[in-house]
Amino acid sequence: MKSLFVANWKMNLLQRDAVAFASRFKELFSGVSNYDAVFGIAPALSSFQALKQALGNYQQVWLGAQNVHWLASGAHTGEISAAMLKELGADFAIIGHSERRQFYGETNDKVALRAKAAINEGLTAIVCVGELEADFKAKKTAEVVHRQLLASLAGLSAADSLRLVVAYEPVWAIGTGLAATPEIADTVHQQIRAELCEIFGEEAGEKIILLYGGSTSPDNIAELCSQKEVQGALIGGASLKPESFAALILNGAKARAALA
Ligand code: PGA
């Protein structure tokens, strides 16, 4: 896989919107070959089956969830387990997104448990880290990312890391229209890469895919993906329209291919 682009639809798009998205998206990609990217979509779970059906066996598409519980079953109203996601046909789960951390009390400890449960069930865990605007202004990015990363990956083995993707999403860049500069993204990704190599050993650490997230668009993705350690993106707003998501994938994938 040269690059990975994952749509996080958050709490958007009804079933009919997801179906319309899929058919337009397939149209946009018809006749396009050799872009050598994998892309994924994490819809609202209510649209999961409709989207899956509408995409059919469409090439290179992963479907996933925006969260997952760490236990297999039990009295946990409103939650969903990794086995339940697997049963739906999910390939991955996004874990520790900043909106969950900021608004729903998500902690690094729980992120680590969720990641382990997802991976044990054969899902890819996309673990998100990223600093708040105040941390960024106080030049604490490296420290915050270090702390989050270490604690959010606690308990994962090198074998587990085969199913791990890490997304760096500076909170000040999410939904603000103000993406991190390619230099900032690459600096933090280099730090994450070095830390992953320390945690899991060099061989495993080098293989983990690193995504950038935060106000990516078809216009800025090429420059971001031209950085060595920016191997794709986790995309919010720009993934809600098939035209912009497709353009973003193609521009990003082209930039990654040019690096090789
Ligand atoms: P954005 O969201 O692309 O709308 O900034 C990114 C994310 O929350 O993953």
Side-chain angles (χ1 to χ4, degrees), residues 8 10 97 99 169 173-175 214-216 234-237:
N8 174 11
K10 309 189 181 184
H97 188 278
E99 284 149 22
E169 299 209 305
I174 296 178
S215 295
T216 52
L234 184 55
I235 307 123

Side-chain angles (χ1 to χ4, degrees), residues 13 39 60 95 108 110 133 135 151 158-159 165 168-169 191 215 260:
L13 306 189
F39 57 86
Q60 293 169 304
I95 298 169
N108 290 322
K110 293 290 190 289
E133 186 177 20
D135 301 323
V165 169
Y168 167 56
E169 299 209 305
Q191 175 195 333
S215 295

Side-chain angles (χ1 to χ4, degrees), residues 73-146:
S73 62
H76 297 282
T77 303
E79 297 295 327
I80 192 151
S81 74
M84 290 167 180
L85 292 179
K86 197 72 191 166
E87 187 178 55
L88 269 183
D91 303 293
F92 69 92
I94 298 170
I95 298 169
H97 188 278
S98 71
E99 284 149 22
R100 300 231 47 98
R101 291 178 184 266
Q102 271 190 293
F103 308 129
Y104 301 98
E106 184 66 286
T107 61
N108 290 322
D109 295 357
K110 293 290 190 289
V111 170
L113 292 174
R114 293 181 203 279
K116 184 76 180 169
I119 290 169
N120 282 349
E121 203 54 55
L123 299 168
T124 292
I126 303 182
V127 172
C128 305
V129 295
E131 80 285 7
L132 299 166
E133 186 177 20
D135 301 323
F136 176 68
K137 286 192 169 150
K139 302 199 184 323
K140 288 190 176 152
T141 300
E143 183 188 324
V144 171
V145 168
H146 168 74

